[in-house]
Amino acid sequence: MTAQPVSDPPAPAGRHPGPRPTRPGQWVLLVVGTLLTALGLAALVSGLVLAAAASAQQGGRYLSSPPDRHQTITYALVGPPAVLDLGEAEVSPVPFLNELGSVQVRVTAVDPGQELFVGVAASEDVDRYLDGVAHARMGAGTEAGDDAPDRVPGERAPGRPGNRTFWADSDQGPGTRELTLDLRSGSWTLVVMNADAARPVWADVQVGARSDLLGPLAGGQLIGGLVGLAAGVPLLLLGAAGLGRDIGPVTPPRGTGPGAALAGSRPGTGHRHRRIRCA
């Protein structure tokens, strides 16, 4: 019987320690720390923005948009209704409402010789006054010089707006006219006309706002942001460090490393063969 070579059994692989299991508490620290850090950063950025806005209001200044030039061939430029519902704040002392905020409207006639009228009234009173009167709603059309998309048709000529008594606040005259309005509940509409109720109307309109609450709000946001960072960053670092310790080095089994192929090709390191003799 022919002897067949028999390979020696492979050497047992060496035991190696696996990674230690991650403790749930470390994940909790990591998640809570991440949330607190993110919230702290958001509050800090918000506080800086509010602080800059409060600083810009120093000296009674208003945060205003750039002036927009509006024109219409009709009798009046009408702003969109502003609906306010202050709820319980309406019955609070007046100083509180003044701190809550106010709005400023500045209107300048493009023609220096033209007297303008600017007024704010309840929306229902404005609707009755301009019923049947051609007017234009302030919008992209009146800014571009083509008020056709925003025009409301009418055949009636209005009376002088300054002779009406329903205005909550109004101003008229040459040059720049200005209104300062405290916040009040209701639906309010801004109207810009020529003082003599003639047409067309051509004016630069600028709207601004201010609130004495921006300073305290900025302080609260900044403090909250710093507290969030002070609590969140240490938790985040502790959680990340704990997870790093749990991931231990992995030792590859014997004979499976990068040099295993080279080691197996050396002389005398291959499988040893034994011959089995049969009687």
Side-chain angles (χ1 to χ4, degrees), residues 144-237:
D146 179 14
D147 64 344
D150 305 301
R151 195 183 306 160
V152 178
E155 301 294 335
R156 185 174 65 85
R160 286 176 172 265
N163 295 337
R164 303 290 176 154
T165 60
F166 58 77
W167 302 106
D169 198 1
S170 63
D171 189 18
Q172 68 177 22
T176 299
R177 315 316 304 170
E178 182 178 295
L179 292 182
T180 301
L181 307 167
D182 295 328
L183 299 181
R184 285 175 284 181
S185 293
S187 178
W188 307 98
T189 300
L190 172 70
V191 178
V192 179
M193 300 177 64
N194 293 322
D196 57 0
R199 57 181 181 177
V201 182
W202 196 3
D204 292 331
V205 181
Q206 185 177 21
V207 179
R210 65 169 285 114
S211 174
D212 293 333
L213 298 181
L214 289 182
L217 287 176
Q221 290 287 83
L222 291 174
I223 293 175
L226 293 175
V227 170
L229 290 177
V233 171
L235 293 179
L236 179 61
L237 295 178

Side-chain angles (χ1 to χ4, degrees), residues 15-279:
R15 297 180 177 274
H16 62 281
R20 290 174 291 179
T22 301
R23 293 189 292 271
Q26 293 162 352
W27 283 110
V28 172
L29 290 177
L30 186 64
V31 172
V32 173
T34 301
L35 290 176
L36 288 177
T37 302
L39 291 175
L41 285 174
L44 196 62
V45 171
S46 175
L48 291 174
V49 172
L50 290 174
S55 177
Q57 293 184 155
Q58 295 297 323
R61 293 192 298 269
Y62 280 74
L63 301 176
S64 301
S65 62
D68 295 323
R69 179 158 295 182
H70 295 269
Q71 53 186 309
T72 177
I73 63 173
T74 64
Y75 292 99
L77 289 165
V78 181
V83 180
L84 297 177
D85 184 7
L86 300 179
E88 296 181 357
E90 190 74 21
V91 298
S92 299
V94 173
F96 173 78
L97 290 179
N98 292 337
E99 292 179 357
L100 187 61
S102 59
V103 177
Q104 183 185 75
V105 180
R106 294 169 60 90
V107 181
T108 304
V110 176
D111 180 3
Q114 178 66 56
E115 292 190 4
L116 284 181
F117 171 89
V118 54
V120 172
S123 299
E124 55 185 16
D125 293 331
V126 172
D127 291 341
R128 280 195 295 266
Y129 171 60
L130 295 178
D131 185 25
V133 175
H135 60 277
R137 300 186 181 94
M138 293 185 191
T142 59
E143 289 183 0
D146 179 14
D147 64 344
D150 305 301
R151 195 183 306 160
V152 178
E155 301 294 335
R156 185 174 65 85
R160 286 176 172 265
N163 295 337
R164 303 290 176 154
T165 60
F166 58 77
W167 302 106
D169 198 1
S170 63
D171 189 18
Q172 68 177 22
T176 299
R177 315 316 304 170
E178 182 178 295
L179 292 182
T180 301
L181 307 167
D182 295 328
L183 299 181
R184 285 175 284 181
S185 293
S187 178
W188 307 98
T189 300
L190 172 70
V191 178
V192 179
M193 300 177 64
N194 293 322
D196 57 0
R199 57 181 181 177
V201 182
W202 196 3
D204 292 331
V205 181
Q206 185 177 21
V207 179
R210 65 169 285 114
S211 174
D212 293 333
L213 298 181
L214 289 182
L217 287 176
Q221 290 287 83
L222 291 174
I223 293 175
L226 293 175
V227 170
L229 290 177
V233 171
L235 293 179
L236 179 61
L237 295 178
L238 286 174
L243 291 178
R245 286 194 301 268
D246 281 349
I247 302 176
V250 178
T251 304
R254 184 180 303 171
T256 60
L262 294 176
S265 63
R266 294 176 184 173
T269 60
H271 293 293
R272 291 176 298 175
H273 300 282
R274 292 177 300 177
R275 293 183 176 276
I276 302 176
R277 297 181 179 275
C278 297

